[in-house]
Amino acid sequence: MNRFKLKDHLQGDMQIWVITIFLSLFGIAAVYSSISALVYRTSATPEIVIFKHAFFVAIGFFVTYFVHRFDFINLAPLAKILLWLTPLILIYTLSSGREVGGAKRWISVFGWTFQTSDLVRLVLITNLSAMLARKQNTLDNFKHLWPIIIWCGVLCGLLAISSFSTSVILGLTCLMIMIIGRIPRKYILWLTGSVFMGLILAFGAGWISKVVFDKDFGRTQTVIDRVEAFTNSDLDSNGLIGGAVGSNSIQQDQALAAVARGGLFGVGPGRSAIKHGMAESYSDFIYAIIIEEYGLMGGIFILGLYLWLLARGFKNIENTTHAFGGLLSIGLTLSIVFQALTHMFINVGLGPVTGQTLPLISKGGTSILFTSIALGIVLSVSKNHEAKAANKLR
């Protein structure tokens, strides 16, 4: 009888599997501890809310498993088709999408509601990695690079209208991929200029829509208000910035109180006092609740898991002999870690509120699923390398 071996089924980088499991399990505990405000608002029981979250975590794990079984090489043709659809998807989201928190970021397909920025990140990073891999011998020729630069600028610009912070994260990720992909410095500047131009056009479109047509199109004023509230705390504390921006700033003050209350070792799991009055304690500000309950040591532990994941992403570049695989692995890893760091910085008062969740930990079904797909692709890259290494030893 053949013995069951876990390594035969969970292939690829086992350390990434361990990180994924740790983050997912910790996320279930953190969400369960922080949903009191949500339960109060919706009249749902804590058991129903946490069961739903745990269900998405389980689905996400199986998604990671199935994706990592496929050869990542086959993703390039599919991503190329989706690349031409993403501008249309973003425009549809801006015009007819579902509004949450004052921004149209969600669309519904056959009853499944998801945030389109998650899809755009996967598609652009995959295409950018594939383009750079194909052009490794012609990187000095600008005519081979301008499509990459234009696509980055267009998609980041469109994304900025509904989610400025996500656009910045994606732009930084693309910049890092191009640096790692050995793009000449002068073309890196072209990319930076393209992304900035896209952001300027996005803000211009939002301003024209508001001033000329008296219609909110995008988040131009909201982004400006949030930055102003962050840089001038007296302005918000006096109540001069209202609406969603004022509410978010109040939550950030509560997050800072939670961090201060946590101290070095925290007040203990489930004993947070701040969570009861914080509307987004289970998503946008869950890291602050983690620090309150588990202390600075718990916060460092979570930070360490994401940095460990980043280190494994860079390790895949060293191990793989396929340029596409290496760039794809580090690109997706950077996207996840940049999002996590942005969330953490906001929670400890180092940046304006942007609505970024903590990957695999914050409550949110579609976010977990898209993060699981990204991790499955990274594991597929590492699995491919291990298979080739094993063949060489035979």
Side-chain angles (χ1 to χ4, degrees), residues 13 32 45 47 57 73 142 144 165 199 207 216 277 290 303-304 321 330 375:
D13 192 330
Y32 183 70
T45 64
E47 290 75 18
V57 169
I73 299 295
F142 182 71
H144 294 295
S165 60
L199 297 179
W207 183 83
D216 288 326
I290 290 173
L303 173 61
T321 56
I330 192 57
L375 289 170

mmCIF file with all atom_site columns, all heavy atoms in Angstrom, residues 13 32 45 47 57 73 142 144 165 199 207 216 277 290 303-304 321 330 375:
data_model
loop_
_atom_site.group_PDB
_atom_site.id
_atom_site.type_symbol
_atom_site.label_atom_id
_atom_site.label_alt_id
_atom_site.label_comp_id
_atom_site.label_asym_id
_atom_site.label_entity_id
_atom_site.label_seq_id
_atom_site.pdbx_PDB_ins_code
_atom_site.Cartn_x
_atom_site.Cartn_y
_atom_site.Cartn_z
_atom_site.occupancy
_atom_site.B_iso_or_equiv
_atom_site.pdbx_formal_charge
_atom_site.auth_seq_id
_atom_site.auth_comp_id
_atom_site.auth_asym_id
_atom_site.auth_atom_id
_atom_site.pdbx_PDB_model_num
ATOM 1   N N   . ASP A 1 13  ? 7.530   25.277 -3.177  1.00 0.00 ? 13  ASP A N   1
ATOM 2   C CA  . ASP A 1 13  ? 8.238   25.784 -1.997  1.00 0.00 ? 13  ASP A CA  1
ATOM 3   C C   . ASP A 1 13  ? 7.409   25.512 -0.735  1.00 0.00 ? 13  ASP A C   1
ATOM 4   O O   . ASP A 1 13  ? 6.402   26.160 -0.485  1.00 0.00 ? 13  ASP A O   1
ATOM 5   C CB  . ASP A 1 13  ? 8.474   27.288 -2.170  1.00 0.00 ? 13  ASP A CB  1
ATOM 6   C CG  . ASP A 1 13  ? 9.443   27.849 -1.139  1.00 0.00 ? 13  ASP A CG  1
ATOM 7   O OD1 . ASP A 1 13  ? 9.502   27.310 -0.026  1.00 0.00 ? 13  ASP A OD1 1
ATOM 8   O OD2 . ASP A 1 13  ? 10.126  28.837 -1.457  1.00 0.00 ? 13  ASP A OD2 1
ATOM 9   N N   . TYR A 1 32  ? -12.423 36.574 13.980  1.00 0.00 ? 32  TYR A N   1
ATOM 10  C CA  . TYR A 1 32  ? -13.392 36.176 15.003  1.00 0.00 ? 32  TYR A CA  1
ATOM 11  C C   . TYR A 1 32  ? -13.349 37.124 16.196  1.00 0.00 ? 32  TYR A C   1
ATOM 12  O O   . TYR A 1 32  ? -14.370 37.443 16.815  1.00 0.00 ? 32  TYR A O   1
ATOM 13  C CB  . TYR A 1 32  ? -13.109 34.753 15.469  1.00 0.00 ? 32  TYR A CB  1
ATOM 14  C CG  . TYR A 1 32  ? -14.109 34.243 16.481  1.00 0.00 ? 32  TYR A CG  1
ATOM 15  C CD1 . TYR A 1 32  ? -15.412 33.957 16.096  1.00 0.00 ? 32  TYR A CD1 1
ATOM 16  C CD2 . TYR A 1 32  ? -13.745 34.054 17.806  1.00 0.00 ? 32  TYR A CD2 1
ATOM 17  C CE1 . TYR A 1 32  ? -16.345 33.490 17.022  1.00 0.00 ? 32  TYR A CE1 1
ATOM 18  C CE2 . TYR A 1 32  ? -14.661 33.593 18.741  1.00 0.00 ? 32  TYR A CE2 1
ATOM 19  C CZ  . TYR A 1 32  ? -15.964 33.316 18.341  1.00 0.00 ? 32  TYR A CZ  1
ATOM 20  O OH  . TYR A 1 32  ? -16.886 32.870 19.257  1.00 0.00 ? 32  TYR A OH  1
ATOM 21  N N   . THR A 1 45  ? -24.991 36.481 13.797  1.00 0.00 ? 45  THR A N   1
ATOM 22  C CA  . THR A 1 45  ? -24.295 35.889 14.934  1.00 0.00 ? 45  THR A CA  1
ATOM 23  C C   . THR A 1 45  ? -22.803 35.777 14.601  1.00 0.00 ? 45  THR A C   1
ATOM 24  O O   . THR A 1 45  ? -22.434 35.623 13.426  1.00 0.00 ? 45  THR A O   1
ATOM 25  C CB  . THR A 1 45  ? -24.844 34.488 15.253  1.00 0.00 ? 45  THR A CB  1
ATOM 26  O OG1 . THR A 1 45  ? -24.586 33.617 14.140  1.00 0.00 ? 45  THR A OG1 1
ATOM 27  C CG2 . THR A 1 45  ? -26.345 34.552 15.502  1.00 0.00 ? 45  THR A CG2 1
ATOM 28  N N   . GLU A 1 47  ? -20.921 33.334 15.011  1.00 0.00 ? 47  GLU A N   1
ATOM 29  C CA  . GLU A 1 47  ? -20.652 32.017 14.418  1.00 0.00 ? 47  GLU A CA  1
ATOM 30  C C   . GLU A 1 47  ? -20.885 32.024 12.910  1.00 0.00 ? 47  GLU A C   1
ATOM 31  O O   . GLU A 1 47  ? -20.105 31.436 12.148  1.00 0.00 ? 47  GLU A O   1
ATOM 32  C CB  . GLU A 1 47  ? -21.534 30.958 15.078  1.00 0.00 ? 47  GLU A CB  1
ATOM 33  C CG  . GLU A 1 47  ? -21.170 30.631 16.526  1.00 0.00 ? 47  GLU A CG  1
ATOM 34  C CD  . GLU A 1 47  ? -21.604 31.722 17.493  1.00 0.00 ? 47  GLU A CD  1
ATOM 35  O OE1 . GLU A 1 47  ? -22.464 32.545 17.128  1.00 0.00 ? 47  GLU A OE1 1
ATOM 36  O OE2 . GLU A 1 47  ? -21.049 31.756 18.611  1.00 0.00 ? 47  GLU A OE2 1
ATOM 37  N N   . VAL A 1 57  ? -11.614 30.952 3.436   1.00 0.00 ? 57  VAL A N   1
ATOM 38  C CA  . VAL A 1 57  ? -10.224 30.548 3.666   1.00 0.00 ? 57  VAL A CA  1
ATOM 39  C C   . VAL A 1 57  ? -9.991  29.135 3.137   1.00 0.00 ? 57  VAL A C   1
ATOM 40  O O   . VAL A 1 57  ? -8.980  28.855 2.471   1.00 0.00 ? 57  VAL A O   1
ATOM 41  C CB  . VAL A 1 57  ? -9.875  30.630 5.168   1.00 0.00 ? 57  VAL A CB  1
ATOM 42  C CG1 . VAL A 1 57  ? -8.520  29.965 5.444   1.00 0.00 ? 57  VAL A CG1 1
ATOM 43  C CG2 . VAL A 1 57  ? -9.842  32.088 5.631   1.00 0.00 ? 57  VAL A CG2 1
ATOM 44  N N   . ILE A 1 73  ? 3.449   28.437 -17.326 1.00 0.00 ? 73  ILE A N   1
ATOM 45  C CA  . ILE A 1 73  ? 3.719   28.877 -18.696 1.00 0.00 ? 73  ILE A CA  1
ATOM 46  C C   . ILE A 1 73  ? 2.411   29.101 -19.457 1.00 0.00 ? 73  ILE A C   1
ATOM 47  O O   . ILE A 1 73  ? 2.296   29.996 -20.309 1.00 0.00 ? 73  ILE A O   1
ATOM 48  C CB  . ILE A 1 73  ? 4.586   27.846 -19.447 1.00 0.00 ? 73  ILE A CB  1
ATOM 49  C CG1 . ILE A 1 73  ? 5.939   27.664 -18.736 1.00 0.00 ? 73  ILE A CG1 1
ATOM 50  C CG2 . ILE A 1 73  ? 4.806   28.271 -20.886 1.00 0.00 ? 73  ILE A CG2 1
ATOM 51  C CD1 . ILE A 1 73  ? 6.790   28.903 -18.742 1.00 0.00 ? 73  ILE A CD1 1
ATOM 52  N N   . PHE A 1 142 ? 13.978  50.694 -27.749 1.00 0.00 ? 142 PHE A N   1
ATOM 53  C CA  . PHE A 1 142 ? 12.759  51.257 -27.164 1.00 0.00 ? 142 PHE A CA  1
ATOM 54  C C   . PHE A 1 142 ? 11.488  50.774 -27.870 1.00 0.00 ? 142 PHE A C   1
ATOM 55  O O   . PHE A 1 142 ? 10.439  50.658 -27.227 1.00 0.00 ? 142 PHE A O   1
ATOM 56  C CB  . PHE A 1 142 ? 12.816  52.786 -27.216 1.00 0.00 ? 142 PHE A CB  1
ATOM 57  C CG  . PHE A 1 142 ? 11.619  53.439 -26.593 1.00 0.00 ? 142 PHE A CG  1
ATOM 58  C CD1 . PHE A 1 142 ? 11.428  53.418 -25.212 1.00 0.00 ? 142 PHE A CD1 1
ATOM 59  C CD2 . PHE A 1 142 ? 10.658  54.063 -27.380 1.00 0.00 ? 142 PHE A CD2 1
ATOM 60  C CE1 . PHE A 1 142 ? 10.316  54.014 -24.643 1.00 0.00 ? 142 PHE A CE1 1
ATOM 61  C CE2 . PHE A 1 142 ? 9.546   54.660 -26.811 1.00 0.00 ? 142 PHE A CE2 1
ATOM 62  C CZ  . PHE A 1 142 ? 9.376   54.635 -25.442 1.00 0.00 ? 142 PHE A CZ  1
ATOM 63  N N   . HIS A 1 144 ? 10.664  47.970 -28.691 1.00 0.00 ? 144 HIS A N   1
ATOM 64  C CA  . HIS A 1 144 ? 10.190  46.710 -28.114 1.00 0.00 ? 144 HIS A CA  1
ATOM 65  C C   . HIS A 1 144 ? 9.617   46.911 -26.706 1.00 0.00 ? 144 HIS A C   1
ATOM 66  O O   . HIS A 1 144 ? 9.007   45.990 -26.161 1.00 0.00 ? 144 HIS A O   1
ATOM 67  C CB  . HIS A 1 144 ? 11.332  45.699 -28.055 1.00 0.00 ? 144 HIS A CB  1
ATOM 68  C CG  . HIS A 1 144 ? 11.829  45.266 -29.390 1.00 0.00 ? 144 HIS A CG  1
ATOM 69  N ND1 . HIS A 1 144 ? 11.064  44.548 -30.278 1.00 0.00 ? 144 HIS A ND1 1
ATOM 70  C CD2 . HIS A 1 144 ? 13.025  45.476 -30.001 1.00 0.00 ? 144 HIS A CD2 1
ATOM 71  C CE1 . HIS A 1 144 ? 11.765  44.314 -31.379 1.00 0.00 ? 144 HIS A CE1 1
ATOM 72  N NE2 . HIS A 1 144 ? 12.960  44.861 -31.243 1.00 0.00 ? 144 HIS A NE2 1
ATOM 73  N N   . SER A 1 165 ? -4.618  54.189 -3.954  1.00 0.00 ? 165 SER A N   1
ATOM 74  C CA  . SER A 1 165 ? -3.565  53.444 -3.258  1.00 0.00 ? 165 SER A CA  1
ATOM 75  C C   . SER A 1 165 ? -3.219  52.152 -3.986  1.00 0.00 ? 165 SER A C   1
ATOM 76  O O   . SER A 1 165 ? -2.049  51.778 -4.094  1.00 0.00 ? 165 SER A O   1
ATOM 77  C CB  . SER A 1 165 ? -4.004  53.135 -1.824  1.00 0.00 ? 165 SER A CB  1
ATOM 78  O OG  . SER A 1 165 ? -5.191  52.360 -1.813  1.00 0.00 ? 165 SER A OG  1
ATOM 79  N N   . LEU A 1 199 ? -1.815  58.922 -13.764 1.00 0.00 ? 199 LEU A N   1
ATOM 80  C CA  . LEU A 1 199 ? -2.430  59.432 -12.538 1.00 0.00 ? 199 LEU A CA  1
ATOM 81  C C   . LEU A 1 199 ? -2.944  60.854 -12.723 1.00 0.00 ? 199 LEU A C   1
ATOM 82  O O   . LEU A 1 199 ? -4.029  61.203 -12.245 1.00 0.00 ? 199 LEU A O   1
ATOM 83  C CB  . LEU A 1 199 ? -1.413  59.384 -11.388 1.00 0.00 ? 199 LEU A CB  1
ATOM 84  C CG  . LEU A 1 199 ? -0.900  57.999 -10.985 1.00 0.00 ? 199 LEU A CG  1
ATOM 85  C CD1 . LEU A 1 199 ? 0.108   58.124 -9.849  1.00 0.00 ? 199 LEU A CD1 1
ATOM 86  C CD2 . LEU A 1 199 ? -2.034  57.081 -10.580 1.00 0.00 ? 199 LEU A CD2 1
ATOM 87  N N   . TRP A 1 207 ? -11.681 65.724 -11.825 1.00 0.00 ? 207 TRP A N   1
ATOM 88  C CA  . TRP A 1 207 ? -11.923 67.149 -11.589 1.00 0.00 ? 207 TRP A CA  1
ATOM 89  C C   . TRP A 1 207 ? -12.900 67.721 -12.608 1.00 0.00 ? 207 TRP A C   1
ATOM 90  O O   . TRP A 1 207 ? -13.822 68.455 -12.263 1.00 0.00 ? 207 TRP A O   1
ATOM 91  C CB  . TRP A 1 207 ? -10.594 67.895 -11.637 1.00 0.00 ? 207 TRP A CB  1
ATOM 92  C CG  . TRP A 1 207 ? -10.728 69.364 -11.341 1.00 0.00 ? 207 TRP A CG  1
ATOM 93  C CD1 . TRP A 1 207 ? -10.777 69.968 -10.117 1.00 0.00 ? 207 TRP A CD1 1
ATOM 94  C CD2 . TRP A 1 207 ? -10.854 70.416 -12.313 1.00 0.00 ? 207 TRP A CD2 1
ATOM 95  N NE1 . TRP A 1 207 ? -10.916 71.329 -10.247 1.00 0.00 ? 207 TRP A NE1 1
ATOM 96  C CE2 . TRP A 1 207 ? -10.960 71.640 -11.594 1.00 0.00 ? 207 TRP A CE2 1
ATOM 97  C CE3 . TRP A 1 207 ? -10.865 70.446 -13.703 1.00 0.00 ? 207 TRP A CE3 1
ATOM 98  C CZ2 . TRP A 1 207 ? -11.086 72.868 -12.224 1.00 0.00 ? 207 TRP A CZ2 1
ATOM 99  C CZ3 . TRP A 1 207 ? -10.995 71.666 -14.336 1.00 0.00 ? 207 TRP A CZ3 1
ATOM 100 C CH2 . TRP A 1 207 ? -11.107 72.872 -13.605 1.00 0.00 ? 207 TRP A CH2 1
ATOM 101 N N   . ASP A 1 216 ? -19.816 63.086 -9.614  1.00 0.00 ? 216 ASP A N   1
ATOM 102 C CA  . ASP A 1 216 ? -18.650 62.431 -9.029  1.00 0.00 ? 216 ASP A CA  1
ATOM 103 C C   . ASP A 1 216 ? -18.193 61.303 -9.936  1.00 0.00 ? 216 ASP A C   1
ATOM 104 O O   . ASP A 1 216 ? -18.949 60.372 -10.224 1.00 0.00 ? 216 ASP A O   1
ATOM 105 C CB  . ASP A 1 216 ? -18.981 61.861 -7.641  1.00 0.00 ? 216 ASP A CB  1
ATOM 106 C CG  . ASP A 1 216 ? -19.128 62.970 -6.609  1.00 0.00 ? 216 ASP A CG  1
ATOM 107 O OD1 . ASP A 1 216 ? -18.407 63.967 -6.731  1.00 0.00 ? 216 ASP A OD1 1
ATOM 108 O OD2 . ASP A 1 216 ? -19.977 62.837 -5.716  1.00 0.00 ? 216 ASP A OD2 1
ATOM 109 N N   . GLY A 1 277 ? -15.998 49.899 18.907  1.00 0.00 ? 277 GLY A N   1
ATOM 110 C CA  . GLY A 1 277 ? -16.408 51.161 18.309  1.00 0.00 ? 277 GLY A CA  1
ATOM 111 C C   . GLY A 1 277 ? -15.755 51.432 16.970  1.00 0.00 ? 277 GLY A C   1
ATOM 112 O O   . GLY A 1 277 ? -15.884 52.531 16.434  1.00 0.00 ? 277 GLY A O   1
ATOM 113 N N   . ILE A 1 290 ? -4.836  43.372 16.111  1.00 0.00 ? 290 ILE A N   1
ATOM 114 C CA  . ILE A 1 290 ? -3.854  42.320 16.377  1.00 0.00 ? 290 ILE A CA  1
ATOM 115 C C   . ILE A 1 290 ? -2.804  42.811 17.362  1.00 0.00 ? 290 ILE A C   1
ATOM 116 O O   . ILE A 1 290 ? -2.447  42.107 18.320  1.00 0.00 ? 290 ILE A O   1
ATOM 117 C CB  . ILE A 1 290 ? -3.195  41.855 15.063  1.00 0.00 ? 290 ILE A CB  1
ATOM 118 C CG1 . ILE A 1 290 ? -4.198  41.071 14.211  1.00 0.00 ? 290 ILE A CG1 1
ATOM 119 C CG2 . ILE A 1 290 ? -1.955  40.999 15.338  1.00 0.00 ? 290 ILE A CG2 1
ATOM 120 C CD1 . ILE A 1 290 ? -3.697  40.726 12.823  1.00 0.00 ? 290 ILE A CD1 1
ATOM 121 N N   . LEU A 1 303 ? 4.377   40.738 10.636  1.00 0.00 ? 303 LEU A N   1
ATOM 122 C CA  . LEU A 1 303 ? 5.277   41.406 9.691   1.00 0.00 ? 303 LEU A CA  1
ATOM 123 C C   . LEU A 1 303 ? 6.351   40.449 9.210   1.00 0.00 ? 303 LEU A C   1
ATOM 124 O O   . LEU A 1 303 ? 6.694   40.408 8.014   1.00 0.00 ? 303 LEU A O   1
ATOM 125 C CB  . LEU A 1 303 ? 5.913   42.628 10.362  1.00 0.00 ? 303 LEU A CB  1
ATOM 126 C CG  . LEU A 1 303 ? 7.014   43.353 9.566   1.00 0.00 ? 303 LEU A CG  1
ATOM 127 C CD1 . LEU A 1 303 ? 6.460   43.895 8.253   1.00 0.00 ? 303 LEU A CD1 1
ATOM 128 C CD2 . LEU A 1 303 ? 7.620   44.481 10.410  1.00 0.00 ? 303 LEU A CD2 1
ATOM 129 N N   . GLY A 1 304 ? 6.890   39.650 10.131  1.00 0.00 ? 304 GLY A N   1
ATOM 130 C CA  . GLY A 1 304 ? 7.930   38.689 9.779   1.00 0.00 ? 304 GLY A CA  1
ATOM 131 C C   . GLY A 1 304 ? 7.454   37.656 8.768   1.00 0.00 ? 304 GLY A C   1
ATOM 132 O O   . GLY A 1 304 ? 8.223   37.237 7.886   1.00 0.00 ? 304 GLY A O   1
ATOM 133 N N   . THR A 1 321 ? 15.263  28.832 -13.856 1.00 0.00 ? 321 THR A N   1
ATOM 134 C CA  . THR A 1 321 ? 16.044  29.106 -15.065 1.00 0.00 ? 321 THR A CA  1
ATOM 135 C C   . THR A 1 321 ? 15.165  29.764 -16.126 1.00 0.00 ? 321 THR A C   1
ATOM 136 O O   . THR A 1 321 ? 15.640  30.037 -17.221 1.00 0.00 ? 321 THR A O   1
ATOM 137 C CB  . THR A 1 321 ? 16.627  27.796 -15.625 1.00 0.00 ? 321 THR A CB  1
ATOM 138 O OG1 . THR A 1 321 ? 15.548  26.873 -15.866 1.00 0.00 ? 321 THR A OG1 1
ATOM 139 C CG2 . THR A 1 321 ? 17.612  27.180 -14.647 1.00 0.00 ? 321 THR A CG2 1
ATOM 140 N N   . ILE A 1 330 ? 8.323   36.950 -8.375  1.00 0.00 ? 330 ILE A N   1
ATOM 141 C CA  . ILE A 1 330 ? 8.657   38.099 -7.530  1.00 0.00 ? 330 ILE A CA  1
ATOM 142 C C   . ILE A 1 330 ? 7.629   39.202 -7.695  1.00 0.00 ? 330 ILE A C   1
ATOM 143 O O   . ILE A 1 330 ? 7.318   39.930 -6.742  1.00 0.00 ? 330 ILE A O   1
ATOM 144 C CB  . ILE A 1 330 ? 10.080  38.615 -7.837  1.00 0.00 ? 330 ILE A CB  1
ATOM 145 C CG1 . ILE A 1 330 ? 10.523  39.605 -6.758  1.00 0.00 ? 330 ILE A CG1 1
ATOM 146 C CG2 . ILE A 1 330 ? 10.157  39.242 -9.211  1.00 0.00 ? 330 ILE A CG2 1
ATOM 147 C CD1 . ILE A 1 330 ? 10.512  39.061 -5.351  1.00 0.00 ? 330 ILE A CD1 1
ATOM 148 N N   . LEU A 1 375 ? -0.698  33.190 -4.974  1.00 0.00 ? 375 LEU A N   1
ATOM 149 C CA  . LEU A 1 375 ? 0.211   32.276 -4.271  1.00 0.00 ? 375 LEU A CA  1
ATOM 150 C C   . LEU A 1 375 ? 0.304   30.939 -4.997  1.00 0.00 ? 375 LEU A C   1
ATOM 151 O O   . LEU A 1 375 ? 1.382   30.321 -5.039  1.00 0.00 ? 375 LEU A O   1
ATOM 152 C CB  . LEU A 1 375 ? -0.267  32.067 -2.834  1.00 0.00 ? 375 LEU A CB  1
ATOM 153 C CG  . LEU A 1 375 ? -0.093  33.270 -1.906  1.00 0.00 ? 375 LEU A CG  1
ATOM 154 C CD1 . LEU A 1 375 ? -0.815  33.028 -0.579  1.00 0.00 ? 375 LEU A CD1 1
ATOM 155 C CD2 . LEU A 1 375 ? 1.385   33.544 -1.661  1.00 0.00 ? 375 LEU A CD2 1
#
